Amino acid sequence: MAIDRTFAATANHAVLDVKDLRIEFPGRQGALVAIEGVSFAIGKGEILGVVGESGAGKSLTGSALIGLLQAPGRIAAGTIHLSGERIDNLSQQEQRRIRGKRIGAIFQDPLTSLDPLFTVGRQLTETIRTHLPVSAGEAHAKAIHLLKEVGIADPENRFNQYPHQFSGGMRQRIVIALALAGEPELIIADEPTTALDVSIQAQIIGLLKRLAKTRGTAIMLVTHDMGVIAEIADRVAVMYAGRVVEIGPVEEVVRRARHPYTAGLMGSIPSLNRRLGRLAQIDGSMPRLGNWPSGCPFHPRCPNAGPRCTESTPALTDAGGTLAACFLHQGGTDL
Ligand code: SF4
């Protein structure tokens, strides 16, 4: 697929550069393609929001990047480079080495990342010593520093406490500290605020934003929430049925979505939606894996669909401000 990379201008100096990624699940009746032709790049200190409904392929893409694709899923085509080094073809052992050290991960539920039997201090110092050549004393000092950096008050005392002694928001801060422990170039945050109260969500979003800017960490933020994206992302990739259907700077995508699916997703930001006069509803639901419609995969739900949309699949092309995979920006839908 020919992609104008203007909107991934950082690609040449990218921390993460994904090109034409395809993920398949082999089956008796042939392979099910779950991700097709996905390309994007993230620069130093940049936050790329990856948004879409459940089943769009966002988390699957994130799993592939950290080498945690569950069997029998496999990368069938494409490349993934981390700071210029190809990482999609590494052995499992090599991928484990990169995970935690060069790529940090934050998931929705902090409890899945924390061990209830050990103090947060011990978990932090062990993670630091796994990834960095430091003494026990240096690891201790670094752990205290990390706790302070993610906004844990009284870190010297909190160091000796167990995960259950922290609130949900504080636990997610500790998970962020753990993700930072190996001083990673890239953090993959998969729905990091979904399980939290709205006021705590805002704090965690603020923290991630600050870390990207002060540390220069590249962040891929996976979420179904356009509101979170509008708050934090520099650029946005919108996924539908295993493809990127629109990608561009956040202000372009949020304020003037070119793709009808993105326009529908805008309904999840009520104030913006009112101002822009868009309809909040997208009728129907995301097709299931193995049931992708022919042509443009969005055509059964698209209010603008024409004959052309059922026959061929639009490529991601320049839509004036973003790249969009939609015939509306390629000469019309009824050709
Ligand atoms: Fe809708 Fe057609 Fe554009 Fe697909 S290509 S989003 S069906 S108008």
Side-chain angles (χ1 to χ4, degrees):
M1 176 172 49
I3 290 193
D4 174 354
R5 299 186 70 84
T6 311
F7 299 99
T10 49
N12 288 340
H13 312 283
V15 173
L16 178 70
D17 191 10
V18 179
K19 279 202 184 88
D20 285 332
L21 185 67
R22 173 196 278 206
I23 298 174
E24 288 182 353
F25 287 85
R28 283 209 191 128
Q29 272 135 27
L32 293 181
V33 178
I35 298 291
E36 177 72 299
V38 164
S39 298
F40 58 85
I42 313 180
K44 206 168 156 44
E46 186 179 39
I47 301 179
L48 177 76
V50 180
V51 71
E53 293 163 289
S54 168
K58 322 179 291 290
S59 294
L60 202 57
T61 304
S63 302
L65 299 182
I66 46 179
L68 286 178
L69 208 52
Q70 290 206 336
R74 66 183 189 100
I75 295 176
T79 56
I80 303 169
H81 285 83
L82 182 67
S83 301
E85 183 192 341
R86 190 165 172 187
I87 60 166
D88 56 279
N89 55 0
L90 299 178
S91 69
Q92 286 204 343
Q93 195 189 355
E94 288 169 320
Q95 284 185 349
R96 251 198 310 278
R97 201 170 36 78
I98 283 182
R99 200 160 55 232
K101 169 75 187 105
R102 298 184 59 194
I103 307 180
I106 305 167
F107 298 107
Q108 179 173 335
D109 182 359
L111 288 178
T112 59
S113 307
L114 296 169
D115 190 327
L117 300 178
F118 296 105
T119 64
V120 300
R122 177 159 172 194
Q123 294 180 58
L124 270 169
T125 47
E126 281 185 0
T127 308
I128 290 165
R129 295 199 76 190
T130 302
H131 298 301
L132 303 175
V134 293
S135 68
E138 286 166 333
H140 182 273
K142 189 168 171 54
I144 299 284
H145 179 79
L146 277 172
L147 287 173
K148 215 180 276 175
E149 189 176 1
V150 299
I152 303 284
D154 194 14
E156 284 83 2
N157 285 326
R158 298 293 251 168
F159 181 91
N160 295 312
Q161 293 185 331
Y162 291 85
H164 76 267
Q165 294 174 285
F166 292 80
S167 67
M170 286 296 150
R171 281 199 286 260
Q172 195 60 305
R173 287 174 190 267
I174 292 162
V175 171
I176 294 172
L178 276 170
L180 292 172
E183 299 175 354
E185 296 137 73
L186 170 72
I187 284 183
I188 299 189
D190 193 343
E191 304 280 7
T193 62
T194 306
L196 305 173
D197 291 345
V198 175
S199 60
I200 310 294
Q201 278 188 10
Q203 293 172 15
I204 298 294
I205 285 170
L207 171 60
L208 289 173
K209 211 167 171 171
R210 183 163 54 75
L211 292 173
K213 300 309 164 209
T214 56
R215 286 179 162 250
T217 314
I219 298 182
M220 174 178 161
L221 174 76
V222 173
T223 180
H224 67 279
D225 187 338
M226 262 296 192
V228 170
I229 294 283
E231 280 291 318
I232 189 175
D234 297 300
R235 284 186 302 117
V236 188
V238 181
M239 289 192 72
Y240 188 83
R243 294 166 184 268
V244 171
V245 295
E246 184 160 10
I247 184 166
V250 67
E251 58 280 2
E252 292 288 338
V253 174
V254 170
R255 290 194 182 282
R256 198 164 70 83
R258 275 64 166 181
H259 195 284
Y261 179 62
T262 316
L265 283 181
M266 290 303 135
S268 61
I269 315 177
S271 57
L272 258 179
N273 189 48
R274 256 198 312 279
R275 198 163 66 236
L276 300 178
R278 288 202 179 99
L279 273 179
Q281 285 295 323
I282 313 176
D283 288 337
S285 54
M286 173 81 62
R288 289 219 321 263
L289 176 61
N291 265 337
W292 296 156
S294 60
C296 170
F298 189 54
H299 83 257
R301 303 173 71 188
C302 181
N304 308 94
R308 188 181 180 191
C309 308
T310 59
E311 284 154 18
S312 45
T313 309
L316 208 49
T317 50
D318 191 348
T322 73
L323 302 178
C326 175
F327 291 132
L328 291 175
H329 304 280
Q330 299 169 30
T333 59
D334 47 1
L335 302 177

